Structures are given as C-alpha cells and as structure tokens.
Amino acid sequence: MNQLLAAWNALTMRRRAVVGLATAAMVAAILGMARLSGQSSLALLYSGLDPVASGEVIQALDAQGALYEVRGTAIYVDSAKRDLLRMSLAADGLPTSSAGGYELLDSLSGFGTTSQMFDAAYWRAKEGELARTILANPDIRAARVHISALSGRPFERGFQPSASVAVTTSGGAVREDEAKALRYLVAAAVAGLTPDRVAVIDSRSGRVLDPDSATGADARGKAEELRANVQRLLEARVGPGKAIVEVAVELVQDTESIVERQIDPASRVQISTETEERTNSATDTGTGGTVTVASNLPAGAGAAGGQSNRQDSETRERVNFDVSETKRELLKAPGGIQRISVAVLVDGLRTTDAAGVETWTPRSDAELAALRDLVASAVGFSEARNDSITIKSMEFQPPAEQGTLATAPAGGVPVNLTAMIEIAAFSVVALILGLFVLRPMLTARPQARAPGLPAPPPTSGAEPGPATDGSEDMPALTGTIEDDPPPDFAAPMPGGLDIGFPPMEGADADPVARLRRLIADRRDETVETLRNWMEETEDAG
C-alpha cells in the first residue's frame, strides 16, 4: 500500500488524470463483460398473435415481472423461463382466440332473450369452438368458420346446410389431406352437413381446395409412402445415396355400383307342402232299385223296392319347391389401387486397384433378382393388377460440389456470435488498459539521477520528501556557472557514504567539462530531467 501511495505521489497531475480515466474505462469494460456473460439468451414465446391477444400476453408478463422483448409480431422471453411462462399463461387462458366459444351462451338469460337471439348466439358459439379446434394444429395460424344453417324455418323441406372454412397456415399452402380433415371435422359437428358441402379456402393464396382433387392427393401420398419404404429397404443393402426409387400409383377414379343375382337350377329347396283329403258317402233308396234278374220276374221278389249305398275317398298333396338364388350388391368407391409401377436405379460396385485407379462394375443379375423380390414384397406386387417393377444397375454421376459443408458447433450448443464478439472486444480493451496503461504507471519508479545533476523540483500537491539517492547535501545546479568553487565530488558523503566518484584530476578538475562528460555518458537520464523541468515550468505558468 505504501508503494502505491508513493507511486501515486510521484505522478504529475496529468498522469493522475490519465490513470483515473484508464481505471474508469477498465472498470466499465469489466462491468460490460460481466453483464454480457450473465445475460441469458432469449427464446420465442409466441408469434403471429393478433394485437388484442398480444396485449393481453404482455400485460400478464408485466404482472409477473418477467423479462421480455417484442420484435414485430413476436414476443421473446428468457429461454430458461419460457416453458414455465407458457404454462402459467395457459392456466390464465392466454393467449385467447379472437373467436368466442360456448361461453357466449353464459351471458344469455331467460328474460329478454328471443329464440332468434339464442339461435344466433348458438351458431356463433359453434363457429368459435370449431375455430379453436382447428387452431390447435400447430401448423395453422388463423382460422375462421362460417356455417349456413336453417334458422327460423324448421319445417322447410329439402334444405341442406353448408359451411366454409378460411385457413391461414404458418408456412406453405394448405395440403389436400389437411383440407379433407377440416371438411370431416366441420361436417361431423353440424347435424345434416356432409363433407362435400364444406368449402376450404386457403387465405394465403386465395385458392379453394376442391374435394374432387383429394383422390390425386391420396395417390401421391400412397406413392410417397411406398417409395420411402422401398428406399429404406434398398439403402440397407447398397448403402445410402446409391439407390433411387420412383413409385407411381394409379387409383380408381370412378364410383361403381354392381347388383348381381345368381340362380342355380341344379339345386332346389322345398319351401311348402299342402295335403288335401276328401271323402264322399251316398245312400240311394228308390222303387226302381237295381236292375237284376229278379226284377224281371212277374210279381216276383225283384218287384219290391231296393236301396243302394256309395262311398268315395280322395287325397291330394302339393309340394312347392324353389330354386337357389343369390343376390349381391357391390359399391366401389374411388381410391382403390388400380395399378402400381416401380422404377429402381441402383449404383454398381466401385473398386480401387493398387495403382489407385477406380473401376465400376454393374451388379450381378442374381443380386438384382433378389432386390426385385424385396421390392415386390414391399409394395404388394400383384400380377392381376398388371403391376410392373423395373430395376437396373447403372453408374451414378457424382454431383458437383457447391459451397462448403455446413457443420454444427462443437457439442451441439448454438453459439451467439454477436455476444461472443462483444465479450471479446471488452476483454481486449480491459487487457490493454490493464497491461499498457495502469500497470506501467503504478509500477514506475523515480528515474535515477546522474551524479552531480540536480533533483527535479517537487510536484504540485506533493510535499518534498527526503532524497533517496544520497544527494540531499549536494548543492542543486541552476543551469548557470557561478564563480564559487565547485563542490568536491570526491569528498566522502555524510555518514561515511561513498558515492564512488574518483577524485577529479587533470581535465576532470574542470566542473563544466565533467558535467559535459556526465551528460554525454547518461544522455537518457539528462533528457528526462530536462523534460521534467520543462513540464513543471509549463504547469507553473
């Protein structure tokens, strides 16, 4: 501490000001480095919200005292607290959607609410709930639903409800499969509504997604699925990037209804049996009687009256049979696979000989046949559908390299380049100030004066202290040569201190010549002494 005070007292006012400014700059640089190193990175909280929802989120963040930053339509918060803030905001129902849901019905009371008012609020709540369900998809940024339902005319016949959905995605256009899902979602929520009467509009491009184009989207999706399966299967054998697969799927586009009735005459089935029995009995008593021989005798017994009896019995049976009959009704909807075509291009084998020359050879027919069997099993090959598989082994041309390969930072941790540059700049400034400004000034010692040269006058603000070079009893030079006899430099110093100067003899007896010789021998110390004198003279003026 004493050394620091002694060094500080030995400095001039100008140097003290420089030391003060350098110290302040170094402290500011250290504080800046500490702030940058302790500052946490920001992460995206929400983006693309409407102004009302954004204001509610910002108000909730202010209430919680969270640090946030608004960049356009995006809100950034501390990355370490982002998930916690999302959960706390979700507990408060934020961010809210612009469309209201079934809570709109809570404000309706039984008094003063007509049936028309309730119907309008109900359909408005239905549209809001559907919009909220659609917005649950992370790829959809905004959605509006409009339902045209029968209201006020409940007994009208032949009315079919319809609906429209306007969707804005976060990235590209609305896909066909997404539009199909939206149609079925809205149709299932409204009674009597069919998916073909729901119109889906892409708000970004203004395009109306036609339900008839869903079949083409299904074909592309099925082909992409089969292509990915075959690609993964082949790359496991030939290696990544050495097989190219293309799959074309033809789907049934027409709707077909088939009603078939088959009758087998060779087979019959008894369906009913009818049995009928009939019995008749008759007795005839008359004068005539039966004509016999006795009846021809005169006055004989045959002339008396006779009696005849008759009894009939009849049985009928009817059996009904029917032939075997089969009825079948078949409805074929569009979307079934009609034909599959697969084209596979496989790279050959590359070998390098001892001279370093690379040669290419195609794959064998046996290997290609084995690969074809694998592809056929992967796509569900069927000869009845006239499916086709083409596999060839051809040489691949290496693609031209463009640019440099992007590599991830070491450890997989993203680096904030701007913050690193700022910290490095502050570190360099602090290092320069500490090594080249403060350290030389605080560790500088008083310049050793040449023997026989006067000590510099005391600086302003500092009291003169005892001399440390043993020349306190030596007279100071004023720059002029006086007539008084020169001091004897060879005389011993008080206290027995010998400064080591030899006695002046010959040419050295002249003090002026000796002074010149001392100045010539110690030119740097002399220049420094003269500079101190000049600075003190300017400060005094």
Side-chain angles (χ1 to χ4, degrees), residues 293-526:
V293 175
S295 64
N296 291 326
L297 296 177
Q307 182 177 1
S308 63
N309 295 326
R310 185 179 61 184
Q311 185 174 1
D312 297 332
S313 178
E314 182 181 357
T315 302
R316 292 182 179 180
E317 183 179 6
R318 179 182 296 177
V319 178
N320 297 324
F321 294 91
D322 198 357
V323 295
S324 177
E325 181 181 1
T326 302
K327 292 183 179 180
R328 185 177 63 173
E329 183 176 357
L330 180 62
L331 179 62
K332 293 184 178 180
I337 297 178
Q338 186 175 1
R339 189 171 183 269
I340 298 177
S341 300
V342 182
V344 180
L345 182 61
V346 182
D347 193 9
L349 301 176
R350 300 178 183 271
T351 58
T352 304
D353 55 9
V357 179
E358 187 181 49
T359 57
W360 180 89
T361 56
R363 297 183 182 271
S364 62
D365 296 338
E367 184 177 2
L368 293 179
L371 294 178
R372 187 183 185 281
D373 294 339
L374 292 176
V375 174
S377 300
V379 300
F381 179 80
S382 175
E383 293 182 357
R385 293 195 307 251
N386 295 327
D387 295 347
S388 63
I389 297 177
T390 304
I391 181 169
K392 298 291 183 181
S393 178
M394 297 182 180
E395 185 178 3
F396 283 13
Q397 297 297 329
E401 296 183 0
Q402 298 179 357
T404 58
L405 182 62
T407 58
V413 180
V415 178
N416 191 343
L417 185 59
T418 304
M420 296 296 294
I421 292 176
E422 293 178 354
I423 294 176
F426 278 115
S427 301
V428 171
V429 171
L431 186 62
I432 292 175
L433 292 176
L435 294 179
F436 300 101
V437 178
L438 293 180
R439 185 173 179 276
M441 290 185 176
L442 295 178
T443 59
R445 295 182 179 180
Q447 295 287 342
R449 296 191 305 274
L453 296 180
T459 58
S460 59
E463 297 180 358
T468 58
D469 56 354
S471 60
E472 61 272 14
D473 294 337
M474 298 180 61
L477 297 179
T478 60
T480 59
I481 299 176
E482 299 178 356
D483 296 336
D484 297 335
D488 188 4
F489 290 97
M493 298 298 293
L497 179 61
D498 188 5
I499 61 177
F501 288 111
M504 294 184 296
E505 297 178 357
D508 292 337
D510 186 2
V512 177
R514 185 175 179 83
L515 181 59
R516 290 176 179 176
R517 187 175 63 83
L518 291 175
I519 292 174
D521 295 339
R522 302 191 179 185
R523 187 180 302 274
D524 297 335
E525 291 83 348
T526 305

Side-chain angles (χ1 to χ4, degrees), residues 196-212:
D196 57 341
R197 295 189 60 83
V198 179
V200 179
I201 298 95
D202 188 356
S203 301
R204 186 180 300 274
S205 61
R207 184 171 60 96
V208 179
L209 301 177
D210 190 4
D212 297 335

Side-chain angles (χ1 to χ4, degrees), residues 8-17 459 535-536 539:
W8 176 259
N9 294 330
L11 297 178
T12 62
M13 293 300 297
R14 182 179 300 177
R15 292 191 174 183
R16 291 180 182 179
T459 58
E535 289 177 356
E536 293 298 332
D539 294 338

Side-chain angles (χ1 to χ4, degrees), residues 134 140 165 167 174 177-187 198 200:
I134 295 173
I140 296 178
V165 182
V167 180
V174 181
D177 55 345
E178 293 178 343
K180 183 178 179 181
L182 294 178
R183 292 191 195 95
Y184 278 90
L185 172 65
V186 178
V198 179
V200 179

